[in-house]
Amino acid sequence: MWGGRFEAGPASVMEEITPSIDFDKRLAAQDIAGSRAHAAMLADQGIIGKADCAAILAGLDAVEKEIAAGDFVFRRALEDIHLNIESRLAEIAGPAAGRLHTARSRNDQVATDFRLWVREACGRADGGLAALQHALLAQAEAHAATIMPGFTHMQPAQPITFGHHCLAYVEMLARDRGRFADAARRMNESPLGAAALAGTSFPIDREATAKALGFSHPMRNSLDAVSARDFALEYLAAAVIAATNLSRLAGELVQWTSPAFGFVRLSDAFTTGSSIMPQKRNPDAAELVRGKTGRVLGDFVALATVVKGLALAYGSDLQEDKERVFDAADTLELCLAAMQGMVGDLTADPEAMRRAAEPGYPTATDLADWIVRVLKKPFRAAHHIAGGAVRRAEELGLRLDQLPLAELKALDPAITEDVFAVLTLDASVHSRTSFGGTAPSRVREQVAWWRERLA
Ligand code: ARG
């Protein structure tokens, strides 16, 4: 493709280090779309003839069919997807193919292809996140009133509902979707026509190619157009935050499925056995989702390191961008699918959750709140009295709601029988009706709100 300037061929190690075709063949569809838009524009602008354009477009159709059929031979000697397609096009379309690269460089070509690919990846991430939100929402609806222990510091804190817990993840995933949507919107501008780095002397129409490829406008600076990879970094940043969020849910699933908790049973489809211990039901997929977060973070760090300090405009360093993004996208999409399957299929065990919510005096705050509300004590004083009640209950080996009234009266004689109404798990959960609170009525309200949003 550039033989004119050289006398000798490349060193053999160059055949190892320069090709990107092994991975950038994934850009084939985007490369063909970019070439179609570019060829049509060149013809419309009178830069190439109509007949040549028709030959190019027909040739691109043929190349596309060969790739789809698996008949296309990708050649490492041709380095990358751009040269592979152009070379095959020349075989099919003849001399007309040689006109396609007018007013174009592989630098704006790869930037265009990659933006198109990453834009689609944002859409796929959004779809996977939405599907997982639906799965969580179904669990939230089914378990709006299922009581479980709510933890802070991994210590029993206050009773909550499993539905409320599921909805917390629905919220997190909504923000993940927002990050992908923002990134997709920002990256949706066209580098095509920036050529190598400085633009071109041909009378091209960058608005036309931008529009043909679904970009909102052409990028305004040709140097920026070929050298920017922050769109890929944004994708990776959104991906690693999403993966991090998934890892928390994954970690909870690992915990909840342990018999020590027993809150949740994953279906057989999402559980593996042990080669030695016949009783085992391992939450492998959840552990792998948790573990793969490291990989996605690694992808972000790797590309950020490639781009860091890199002078404008294009450098071959940037060829290192694609594998990291492909890996992150494959990983994230796999994790989302696995998580959606696990959450959709899991069976919660309301009895086990309730049993686990009993110990640890999770309604001690309700006792303090009652003393504030009914006896009009300051909260700090009420906190002290309730703390005394917990200590006494612990000594007697009783739950707070089993403590004899006399014991409570010993701490504050004004306490009456009425207090017991607030000391049960159910009363506690049902009382937390503040906006965003865990009361089943609030959870149902939020489920309805999300159902409408996600419809
Ligand atoms: N394979 C290259 C990449 O992935 C395409 C652009 C190459 N441009 C160049 N001047 N070598 O970035």
Side-chain angles (χ1 to χ4, degrees):
M1 292 282 169
W2 51 69
R5 201 213 173 295
F6 293 90
E7 276 173 27
S12 63
V13 68
M14 290 297 279
E15 286 161 25
E16 292 304 317
I17 196 168
T18 50
S20 52
I21 188 60
D22 293 342
F23 48 87
D24 70 13
K25 60 171 90 157
R26 292 181 70 170
L27 297 177
Q30 292 75 18
D31 198 69
I32 290 170
S35 289
R36 281 185 178 132
H38 186 65
M41 180 279 291
L42 290 176
D44 286 345
Q45 295 298 104
I47 299 168
I48 64 172
K50 300 267 177 236
D52 285 339
C53 177
I56 290 168
L57 293 178
L60 288 170
D61 288 350
V63 168
E64 186 176 49
K65 285 206 186 75
E66 283 185 8
I67 293 174
D71 294 336
F72 191 96
V73 184
F74 294 99
R75 290 166 55 198
R76 299 187 90 212
L78 290 166
E79 271 193 27
D80 56 24
I81 187 64
H82 324 294
L83 296 182
N84 268 269
I85 288 179
E86 196 184 324
S87 158
R88 182 70 188 122
L89 184 67
E91 289 168 7
I92 297 170
R99 300 195 183 276
L100 173 59
H101 212 53
T102 315
R104 187 177 76 170
S105 154
R106 278 188 294 160
N107 297 349
D108 61 337
Q109 199 177 346
V110 72
T112 303
D113 295 0
F114 198 30
R115 262 178 208 263
L116 290 172
W117 197 95
V118 179
R119 187 177 74 184
E120 285 171 33
C122 287
R124 288 195 303 272
D126 185 69
L129 287 161
L132 179 52
Q133 281 184 310
H134 279 288
L136 286 161
L137 207 52
Q139 293 290 353
E141 187 156 49
H143 293 287
T146 298
I147 288 172
M148 71 181 283
F151 297 99
T152 58
H153 314 270
M154 215 43 223
Q155 301 292 317
Q158 292 170 350
I160 57 170
T161 66
F162 184 53
H164 196 53
H165 203 120
C166 290
L167 285 178
Y169 284 105
V170 173
E171 297 282 340
M172 284 158 86
L173 300 181
R175 292 191 294 276
D176 288 327
R177 293 180 67 186
R179 275 180 281 272
F180 283 111
D182 285 349
R185 200 177 310 117
R186 212 169 0 261
M187 77 179 67
N188 198 31
E189 48 182 16
S190 175
L192 195 58
L197 78 166
T200 175
S201 57
F202 290 97
I204 60 171
D205 182 350
R206 295 191 57 207
E207 289 285 351
T209 48
K211 191 159 170 252
L213 294 169
F215 289 119
S216 56
H217 54 263
M219 291 179 78
R220 278 182 298 275
N221 182 296
S222 60
L223 293 177
D224 180 44
V226 296
S227 57
R229 290 297 182 275
D230 49 86
F231 72 91
L233 287 173
E234 274 199 73
Y235 173 82
L236 291 174
V240 72
I241 295 172
T244 303
N245 284 338
L246 289 186
S247 80
R248 300 181 76 172
L249 177 54
E252 297 213 276
L253 286 177
V254 172
Q255 215 161 53
W256 294 341
T257 52
S258 163
F261 279 75
F263 292 2
V264 153
R265 188 177 170 89
L266 294 177
S267 70
D268 286 358
F270 289 95
T271 309
T272 52
S274 158
S275 58
I276 173 172
M277 298 163 284
Q279 84 285 8
K280 290 298 283 296
R281 289 181 61 84
N282 293 336
D284 272 73
E287 293 166 276
L288 287 163
V289 167
R290 189 174 59 183
K292 283 176 189 293
T293 313
R295 223 179 135 112
V296 181
L297 176 60
D299 290 326
F300 172 82
V301 172
L303 184 56
T305 310
V306 166
V307 176
K308 180 187 176 299
L310 190 62
L312 305 189
Y314 180 85
S316 284
D317 315 45
L318 293 177
Q319 183 165 289
E320 290 292 311
D321 57 0
K322 284 167 280 296
E323 283 171 290
R324 305 283 50 89
V325 171
F326 293 158
D327 181 70
D330 292 343
T331 304
L332 180 65
E333 287 162 30
L334 184 62
C335 288
L336 284 169
M339 199 49 115
Q340 188 220 331
M342 277 186 280
V343 171
D345 259 17
L346 68 75
T347 313
D349 184 341
E351 258 108 76
M353 289 186 184
R354 179 179 282 270
R355 258 195 318 277
E358 297 284 357
Y361 312 99
T363 58
T365 312
D366 298 272
L367 172 56
D369 288 350
W370 184 89
I371 294 168
V372 168
R373 207 166 37 241
V374 179
L375 305 186
K376 311 289 179 219
K377 298 256 189 201
F379 182 77
R380 280 287 149 238
H383 185 285
H384 190 79
I385 295 165
V390 168
R391 191 172 56 201
R392 199 58 196 125
E394 206 166 34
E395 280 164 9
L396 299 172
L398 297 171
R399 293 194 317 252
L400 222 41
D401 61 326
Q402 295 169 328
L403 208 58
L405 181 60
E407 293 287 346
L408 290 169
K409 278 190 180 295
L411 294 160
D412 188 320
I415 296 177
T416 66
E417 190 79 46
D418 291 352
V419 75
F420 291 108
V422 304
L423 296 183
T424 63
L425 297 176
D426 294 87
S428 171
V429 152
H430 281 272
S431 74
R432 291 202 153 59
T433 53
S434 56
F435 179 75
T438 201
S441 58
R442 283 299 196 183
V443 172
R444 288 194 184 97
E445 192 178 276
Q446 290 297 318
V447 166
W449 190 90
W450 275 113
R451 279 246 182 271
E452 219 172 279
R453 291 285 161 320
L454 295 181

